[in-house]
Amino acid sequence: MSGTLLQSISRLLAAFILAALIGMWFAPRASSAPAGRPSTSAEQLLYDAVNRERASLGLEQLQWDTALANAARLHTTLLAEHDALSHRFTGEADLQTRLRTAGASFRLVAENVAEAPDIESLHIAWMNSPPHRANILDPQVNSIGIAIERRGQQYFATQDFSAAVVQMSWEEQERQVARLLQANGLGVVANPEEARKSCDLNRGFYTTQPVSVSRFETSDLSRLPAELARLAASGRFRRAAVGACEVPVATPFARFRLAVILYQ
């Protein structure tokens, strides 16, 4: 068997032995994916293939995310230039930073890379690799971006996945938490200033003495933290004030910081 043939077989096998990269955090399920669609027929083919696989299992269809696709395109160019599969090349930022820089907002991210002699084989390779199949069929993700580049007789491809998070202003965060508190029978004070000061400074100067102050960081504003939920449902409190503030430590994952003041 010739060396050229052996090299081709080795490269094809490498497409089936792919490394997966996953980063996790917690946040709302709602998607903030920028509107868009695949820019090439090859990307569309892989995008449709992913959603067919998910539909066959009753999973949520993935939305096309332009920010993810832009990040995937930059990484795919590096795959082709290096003629190698990797999730991070020398001098390249990590996956979370790359996606955040491209404009994505998320609680969880994952990435698949592959090379193959044709487009269909890229999808087959991913589906025959358990960790990459798991990324495609992950029920937690809701968004995807794909990029493909051809070099010679090989196609290089990147799939970037995320559980996208809606970007929210302080007022939107406060209204969301207020709705959760109101569902437990609490009235919510219209002026959030005292709660915002308490959130920002981890201390407060209160015009009305609170009974309890809860401060928390989360990426999931679809529910209250467990201890706050217990207090809200206890029947001990009649009113609450909600304030949001900046998260003090920067992170590529979406985070929200709030304080809730409970009054009898």
Side-chain angles (χ1 to χ4, degrees):
M1 188 177 290
S2 70
T4 301
L5 183 56
L6 282 172
Q7 184 180 30
S8 297
I9 293 173
S10 175
R11 289 167 65 86
L12 184 57
L13 288 174
F16 284 80
I17 307 172
L18 308 173
L21 178 62
I22 299 176
M24 287 192 178
W25 213 259
F26 301 94
R29 289 288 299 165
S31 171
S32 61
R37 57 186 302 172
S39 60
T40 69
S41 59
E43 292 172 2
Q44 185 73 54
L45 189 151
L46 289 183
Y47 176 52
D48 291 343
V50 165
N51 276 333
R52 280 197 301 272
E53 300 287 0
R54 293 177 66 88
S56 70
L57 298 177
L59 296 172
E60 176 186 3
Q61 298 287 278
L62 299 185
Q63 298 300 307
W64 185 266
D65 187 315
T66 300
L68 297 183
N70 289 341
R73 191 164 292 109
L74 292 174
H75 187 67
T76 304
T77 295
L78 292 178
L79 296 178
E81 289 177 351
H82 287 80
D83 192 19
L85 297 180
S86 176
H87 289 290
R88 187 178 187 183
F89 292 100
T90 301
E92 184 183 25
D94 61 27
L95 175 61
Q96 295 92 330
T97 302
R98 286 192 275 120
L99 300 187
R100 188 72 170 182
T101 299
S105 179
F106 47 81
R107 68 176 178 89
L108 176 154
V109 294
E111 181 172 84
N112 289 344
V113 297
E115 63 169 308
D118 56 72
I119 303 301
E120 292 79 4
S121 294
L122 293 168
H123 181 69
I124 292 169
W126 281 322
M127 291 303 293
N128 281 317
S129 168
H132 297 81
R133 178 187 176 91
N135 287 342
I136 289 171
L137 301 178
D138 187 345
Q140 296 186 81
V141 300
N142 54 29
S143 302
I144 188 173
I146 303 170
I148 304 167
E149 187 164 327
R150 182 176 181 177
R151 291 294 175 95
Q153 299 303 308
Q154 288 291 106
Y155 289 90
F156 294 85
T158 303
Q159 289 177 324
D160 284 335
F161 305 85
S162 79
V165 175
V166 175
Q167 295 279 18
M168 303 174 74
S169 67
W170 286 3
E171 292 80 5
E172 290 169 331
Q173 295 172 42
E174 290 160 358
R175 285 196 294 269
Q176 172 61 20
V177 173
R179 284 191 288 268
L180 297 173
L181 293 168
Q182 288 165 340
N184 284 278
L186 276 71
V188 177
V189 177
N191 188 342
E193 290 308 314
E194 287 190 353
R196 285 183 178 179
K197 290 178 182 178
S198 180
C199 174
D200 190 40
L201 302 174
N202 279 333
R203 57 189 174 86
F205 302 92
Y206 308 110
T207 56
T208 302
Q209 187 61 34
V211 176
S212 176
V213 179
S214 296
R215 302 180 183 90
F216 59 94
E217 286 187 27
T218 184
S219 294
D220 187 356
L221 289 182
S222 67
R223 57 185 176 182
L224 298 172
E227 179 60 19
L228 178 56
R230 185 189 67 79
L231 291 172
S234 68
R236 293 170 50 200
F237 307 101
R238 297 177 57 191
R239 296 181 300 123
V242 182
C245 60
E246 292 290 342
V247 177
V249 179
T251 169
F253 294 95
R255 298 289 286 170
F256 306 109
R257 180 178 174 87
L258 294 105
V260 174
I261 305 173
L262 297 175
Y263 305 94
Q264 288 183 332

